[in-house]
Amino acid sequence: MNDLEELVLEAAQRFQAAQTVAELEDQKARYLGKGGQITEQLKGLAALPAESRKEAGARINRAKGEVEALLVARRAALADAQMEERLNAEAIDVTLPGRGRARGTIHPVIRTWRRVEEIFRSIGFAVADGPEIETDWYSFTALNNPENHPARSMQDTFYVDLRDAQGRLLNLRPHTSPMQVRYARSHKPPIKVVAPGRCYRVDNDATHSPMFHQVEGLWIDENVSFADLKGVYTEFLKRFFETDHLKVRFRPSFFPFTEPSAEIDMAFESGPNEGRWLEISGSGQVHPTVVQNMGLDPERYIGFAFGSGLERLTMLRYGIHDLRLFYDGDLRFLNQFR
Ligand code: DAH
């Protein structure tokens, strides 16, 4: 083997040993660079006698060609290997199942809201919506709850330092009861309506939240009695809880806007809450002063009203013990209502 053949062999080994493009380029310089071994040999041709120059030149150029071919081949191999590595690292397994998109669900309280609307609609009630920012008059005064009267603290709300265009004091409504007067003033009897919505109070514990939901009910006509309240509300509860095994009782109470007033309690006849009385609603026969504020003659019109907590109804239906769970946004809780 002559020197040039040895040189090509050595270049082949060194190129093969190079593991990166940078290493390979370093090795290239060793042979083909400015001071590289093959370059030097080509320069040396000038010193050779003319008769051997041609043959020597041909041998060196052949060796140069071989080294160049080795270089190109190794470059390609390294590029392939690099690509291979990248493909493996970024591999996409098309046989994997898709990640799917998280589906939202109807919040349990809103689900109750919708069911309550549906049940009352089916027994002839209209559904109305009203403002959450309410005037002092509708929230209290119209409901026979005069300014500075201690009974106002029963529904203590957040007062905002705001007045409407007419200079009336505004608040976040503490109950849906303002809707009784609002609705009755814009409709003619017989008035039969439910008004679900958000309310606000200065309360915060396991069974009270500063924002909560109620549904107001009102039925006014010429001879609607307390017996109708009992009948309608008991029917509602049976449908809502999907059981006839329900005991309902009307316990005497006080509200400025009803006379007589009652709190509605219910008890399950079976299950974990068996025998326990649970309060779910305020109710009563609408006070004559309120009927008057509705723009109606209290000598002619009479009826009942109720206001029930939607969170309460939801808690009882699903056996939830802390109402704050409704507002935490915890998916472990919410996913149970899919
Ligand atoms: N608004 C009352 C409250 O939030 C509940 C209530 C009681 C509503 C009696 C009524 C009613 O319509 O007749 O405490």
Side-chain angles (χ1 to χ4, degrees):
M1 207 188 288
N2 64 39
D3 285 0
L4 275 170
E5 285 170 340
E6 238 168 75
L7 195 79
V8 171
L9 206 63
E10 184 199 287
Q13 281 162 359
R14 285 179 182 272
F15 290 172
Q16 196 55 45
Q19 293 305 311
T20 66
V21 175
E23 275 173 41
L24 181 63
E25 297 308 316
D26 282 349
Q27 296 306 325
K28 170 197 162 186
R30 191 189 253 303
Y31 304 100
L32 303 172
K34 258 190 198 153
Q37 294 177 37
I38 289 182
T39 317
E40 288 301 323
Q41 292 216 20
L42 285 170
K43 282 183 199 160
L45 280 175
L48 288 183
E51 62 275 15
S52 52
R53 208 181 283 160
K54 190 174 175 204
E55 190 261 342
R59 280 199 303 123
I60 298 169
N61 272 322
R62 206 180 313 121
K64 188 183 176 193
E66 282 170 12
V67 171
E68 279 171 348
L70 285 167
L71 180 70
V72 168
R74 185 61 185 153
R75 265 196 199 129
L78 283 177
D80 280 355
Q82 204 176 23
M83 177 62 83
E84 185 83 2
E85 201 176 308
R86 226 181 102 192
L87 285 176
N88 284 335
E90 296 172 7
I92 298 170
D93 183 350
V94 293
T95 65
L96 282 176
R99 295 221 176 108
R101 222 186 258 186
R103 274 262 206 112
T105 54
I106 303 294
H107 190 277
V109 172
I110 302 303
R111 190 180 285 220
T112 293
W113 174 328
R114 291 184 176 180
R115 291 191 62 231
V116 166
E117 279 188 6
E118 207 175 288
I119 294 168
F120 277 104
R121 268 212 181 93
S122 78
I123 46 180
F125 281 74
V127 177
D129 193 19
E132 291 171 29
I133 300 176
E134 190 49 283
T135 65
D136 190 79
W137 191 78
Y138 278 113
S139 281
F140 297 108
T141 317
L143 296 168
N144 195 30
N145 209 335
E147 238 173 279
N148 303 317
H149 194 284
R152 282 195 172 202
S153 63
M154 283 174 77
Q155 292 93 19
D156 203 5
T157 184
F158 294 100
Y159 289 89
V160 276
D161 198 7
L162 264 184
R163 286 169 193 274
D164 67 5
Q166 285 87 53
R168 293 177 302 188
L169 208 56
L170 297 173
N171 56 51
L172 300 181
R173 67 175 179 190
H175 50 183
T176 43
S177 299
M179 277 306 289
Q180 290 184 31
V181 181
R182 268 188 186 278
Y183 189 85
R185 283 166 79 89
S186 57
H187 292 79
K188 284 198 180 6
I191 290 162
K192 213 176 166 187
V193 67
V194 288
R198 268 178 283 277
C199 308
Y200 304 85
R201 272 189 218 181
V202 194
D203 271 339
N204 200 11
D205 60 38
T207 52
H208 297 86
S209 144
M211 188 284 299
F212 60 102
H213 300 77
Q214 282 190 340
V215 57
E216 195 73 13
L218 176 72
W219 188 1
I220 300 275
D221 205 346
E222 295 194 3
N223 53 7
V224 177
S225 72
F226 210 90
D228 293 309
L229 166 62
K230 282 184 131 178
V232 164
Y233 207 86
T234 304
E235 175 64 17
F236 158 68
L237 287 179
K238 287 183 173 170
R239 292 223 214 155
F240 182 79
F241 289 101
E242 294 175 288
T243 175
D244 284 337
H245 304 287
L246 211 59
K247 285 188 284 189
V248 182
R249 85 179 170 196
F250 290 71
R251 182 166 40 84
S253 183
F254 167 79
F255 296 100
F257 30 94
T258 41
E259 183 59 40
S261 305
E263 270 170 85
I264 307 174
D265 299 337
M266 62 163 244
F268 290 98
E269 285 176 346
S270 58
N273 280 318
E274 182 184 341
R276 230 181 101 207
W277 288 104
L278 301 150
E279 180 203 323
I280 41 186
S281 188
S283 68
Q285 184 175 301
V286 180
H287 195 285
T289 303
V290 178
V291 175
Q292 201 150 26
N293 288 332
M294 290 172 174
L296 300 172
D297 177 5
E299 297 293 332
R300 185 168 166 203
Y301 291 105
I302 188 166
F304 68 76
F306 60 83
S308 317
L310 293 182
E311 279 82 353
R312 277 282 169 86
L313 288 168
T314 313
M315 288 169 85
L316 286 172
R317 184 167 154 87
Y318 298 111
I320 297 160
H321 300 292
D322 192 331
L323 150 145
R324 287 169 291 201
L325 283 166
F326 289 135
Y327 312 113
D328 285 347
D330 188 332
L331 291 179
R332 289 169 302 181
F333 172 73
L334 295 173
N335 279 335
Q336 295 175 58
F337 298 91
R338 280 180 177 281

